[in-house]
């Protein structure tokens, strides 16, 4: 269990140093691995990323310095185990765009989704191999939609999703059937595409 299974909202003007800690791609990947797979020794994420234990240990200590990860309970007193402190990290896009270097940091922070790209293939393998109960077959899946929303209604949608996710997680915390579920969410407004050039239409 994460010690604080809630979002940590960062302000780039107040938490600028913490933001910089997350702009390193390996740190983003390490944080994602701990969130996805749970507490681990240095050697476990090092093996998954192909990095040395020394490099992995250094970057975990940086994440710990800014409270993204912390020491977990030790199974073996000889090995330090690390855990993610929170289940997600969020920020204000508007504040990020205002802050010096905020846009570059925002681009780097969004790389934290890259490690999730393997999740659909892993899910399919888990079902085929029988590692997941067949009851998961019907409710699992991916979809997209194109609603027309206002900035205010998109913000409300994010708040509703976060609240419902927290409610369901708490409701089933002690259910032995509960499994980790990767939920992809995106709310990306698209500006109208420009009309085709008149000369191109004439051709």
């Amino acid at each position: 269990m994460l010690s604080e299974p809630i979002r940590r909202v960062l302000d780039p003007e107040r938490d600028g140093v913490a933001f910089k800690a997350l702009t390193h791609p390996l740190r983003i990947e390490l944080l994602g691995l701990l969130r996805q797979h749970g507490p681990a020794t240095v050697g476990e994420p090092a093996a998954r990323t192909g990095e040395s234990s020394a490099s992995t240990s250094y970057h975990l200590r940086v994440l710990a310095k800014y409270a993204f990860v912390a020491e977990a309970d030790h199974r073996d007193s000889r090995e330090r185990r690390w855990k993610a402190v929170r289940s997600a990290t969020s920020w204000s896009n508007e504040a990020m765009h205002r802050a010096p270097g905020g846009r570059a940091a925002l681009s780097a922070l969004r790389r934290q989704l890259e490690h999730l790209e393997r999740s659909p293939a892993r899910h399919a393998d888990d079902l085929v191999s029988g590692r997941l109960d067949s009851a998961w077959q019907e409710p699992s899946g991916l979809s997209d939609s194109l609603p027309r929303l206002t900035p205010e209604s998109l913000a409300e949608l994010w708040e509703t999703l976060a609240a419902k996710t927290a409610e369901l997680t708490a409701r089933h915390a002690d259910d032995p059937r509960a499994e980790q579920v990767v939920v992809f969410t995106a709310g990306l407004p698209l500006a109208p595409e420009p009309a085709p050039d008149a000369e191109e239409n004439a051709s």
Side-chain angles (χ1 to χ4, degrees):
M1 289 289 293
L2 301 177
S3 37
E4 296 182 46
I6 58 174
R7 290 178 179 268
R8 178 186 185 189
V9 181
L10 296 181
D11 182 324
E13 297 178 1
R14 183 193 64 213
D15 303 312
V17 177
F19 267 118
K20 290 180 181 179
L22 279 184
T23 56
H24 192 288
L26 179 57
R27 289 176 205 151
I28 293 172
E29 186 172 9
L30 291 173
L31 181 57
L33 288 171
L34 290 176
R35 284 173 172 170
Q36 186 171 8
H37 300 290
T41 63
V42 168
E44 293 166 20
R48 288 180 182 274
T49 59
E51 294 288 331
S52 69
S53 293
S55 175
T56 301
S57 177
Y58 168 76
H59 289 294
L60 285 170
R61 290 197 304 271
V62 173
L63 289 170
K65 181 178 180 180
Y66 298 105
F68 291 105
V69 305
E71 286 192 49
D73 294 335
H74 298 319
R75 294 178 185 169
D76 186 330
S77 60
R78 295 170 298 178
E79 288 191 297
R80 175 183 292 181
R81 291 174 60 79
W82 297 96
K83 65 179 179 181
V85 173
R86 297 170 179 85
S87 60
T89 301
S90 64
W91 54 85
S92 164
N93 287 329
E94 182 180 359
M96 287 290 281
H97 281 269
R98 288 198 313 264
R103 293 190 181 189
L106 184 59
S107 176
L109 284 166
R110 283 177 171 158
R111 293 186 205 129
Q112 66 181 297
L113 296 177
E114 292 178 358
H115 76 279
L116 296 177
E117 292 176 357
R118 299 185 293 271
S119 297
R122 178 183 165 191
H123 161 75
D125 289 343
D126 287 345
L127 278 175
V128 170
S129 67
R131 288 189 294 269
L132 273 178
D133 190 279
S134 59
W136 290 101
Q137 180 76 51
E138 187 63 27
S140 64
L142 298 171
S143 66
D144 63 350
S145 61
L146 293 170
R148 294 183 64 82
L149 303 175
T150 64
E152 293 78 16
S153 59
L154 179 56
E156 181 181 342
L157 178 60
W158 279 115
E159 292 171 2
T160 302
L161 285 170
K164 191 63 179 180
T165 301
E167 175 195 330
L168 293 173
T169 300
R171 183 191 304 173
H172 301 294
D174 299 322
D175 191 326
R177 299 175 305 142
E179 300 282 1
Q180 184 180 66
V181 176
V182 178
V183 179
F184 297 91
T185 56
L188 308 174
L190 303 175
E193 294 185 4
D197 187 81
E199 294 183 2
E200 292 182 0
N201 290 335
S203 63

